[in-house]
Amino acid sequence: TRHIGCSLAESAEGKGYEAWLRKFGDASSSPSSSDKKALHVVYINTSLETKATSASILPTITCTSSNVLQTILQASAQMGPDRLQICYGPDTYMGENLKSLLDAVLSHDESWTDSRIRDELHPLHTRESLRHLRDNLHVYPHGNCIVHHMFGNSVVETVSDKYADAYVTAHLEVPGEMFQIALEKSMNDEGVVGSTSNILQFIERKVEEAAKDMPSS
C-alpha cells in the first residue's frame, strides 16, 4: 500500500521539532528568566502524537488558519506581550506571514493607530504591544506544505505581469512572495489575506458591491 502523507504534518514529527521546542522550554524554566514564559501554538494540520509530545514540552494550543491571529493576540495580551515567547509551528509560511502582517500594521503608523488596533484587531493591544508580540513570535524554520510551495515565484510573476489590476487574495499558508502581493493590496481594500473564510467573505462583499454599481435594466 502506498503511503500518502502530509509534508507539513511530517515536518513536526521528527526530533528537530522537539529540539526546537525544548530550546524554548529550557529557557523559560531557567531561574534567570523567571519572568519569561513560553507558549507553543501548533497548526491543526498535525498529528495527535505531535500535539501530545509538544504539550509535554511546552504549554500547547492548537489553532486553525481562521483563529491563529486571534489566538496569538489573546495569548500575548493575557500573559504580557513583553514576557511571552510564542513558538509557532510547523507551518513556516504561515508563521512568517503572520509576522509580515504585524510588520505591515506597524509600518502604517498613520492609518493603524492604537484606536484602530483596539477596534479591529484586539481590544487589549496597541502599537507598542504588537511590536513586542512580533519580536517575541518565533517561527519553526523547516516546515512547509509541498502543495502551497508551488505558489511561489512563477505564480507571483504571472500575477504581477498579467493581473496587476485584479483583486488578489492569499491564504496564510502560501509562500511569502504571493502573500506580500495580497497584503499590499489589502491595505487599499483591493485584496485580502487570511483564512479561507476571510477570502470568501471578501469575494462575497466585492461581488455585492459590483452588483450595486451595475445599471438597472
Side-chain angles (χ1 to χ4, degrees), residues 167 169 185-186 188-192 197-213:
Y167 295 128
T169 67
K185 283 185 172 274
S186 73
N188 300 315
D189 199 31
E190 296 177 351
V192 70
S197 60
N198 296 141
I199 293 171
L200 290 175
Q201 289 166 8
F202 175 82
I203 293 171
E204 289 174 359
R205 178 167 62 84
K206 287 302 180 182
V207 170
E208 290 175 1
E209 291 173 0
K212 290 179 181 178
D213 292 339

Side-chain angles (χ1 to χ4, degrees), residues 150-160 178:
M150 293 189 296
F151 292 88
N153 288 331
S154 60
V155 175
V156 168
E157 291 173 3
T158 300
V159 171
S160 299
M178 189 70 230

Side-chain angles (χ1 to χ4, degrees), residues 17-92:
Y17 197 77
E18 287 185 36
W20 178 70
L21 290 176
R22 290 188 188 282
K23 178 176 66 174
F24 292 97
D26 293 343
S28 64
S29 62
S30 170
S32 62
S33 60
S34 57
D35 61 330
K36 298 290 185 181
K37 301 296 181 182
L39 174 70
H40 175 222
V41 178
V42 64
Y43 193 35
I44 194 170
N45 291 358
T46 49
S47 68
L48 288 175
E49 182 179 357
T50 291
K51 295 177 178 71
T53 301
S54 299
S56 71
I57 301 171
L58 280 180
T60 296
I61 297 177
T62 300
C63 73
T64 67
S65 58
S66 295
N67 66 20
V68 60
L69 180 59
Q70 284 304 311
T71 297
I72 64 173
L73 286 169
Q74 181 63 27
S76 177
Q78 279 189 228
M79 299 298 294
D82 57 336
R83 298 177 60 235
L84 183 64
Q85 306 289 318
I86 297 179
C87 307
Y88 177 79
D91 195 326
T92 305

Side-chain angles (χ1 to χ4, degrees), residues 128-162:
E128 181 180 1
S129 66
L130 287 186
R131 191 172 293 108
H132 284 300
L133 169 57
R134 178 200 60 190
D135 294 343
N136 289 329
L137 177 59
H138 307 280
V139 179
Y140 182 63
H142 306 298
N144 289 320
C145 167
I146 58 174
V147 176
H148 292 128
H149 186 68
M150 293 189 296
F151 292 88
N153 288 331
S154 60
V155 175
V156 168
E157 291 173 3
T158 300
V159 171
S160 299
D161 295 343
K162 298 183 178 181

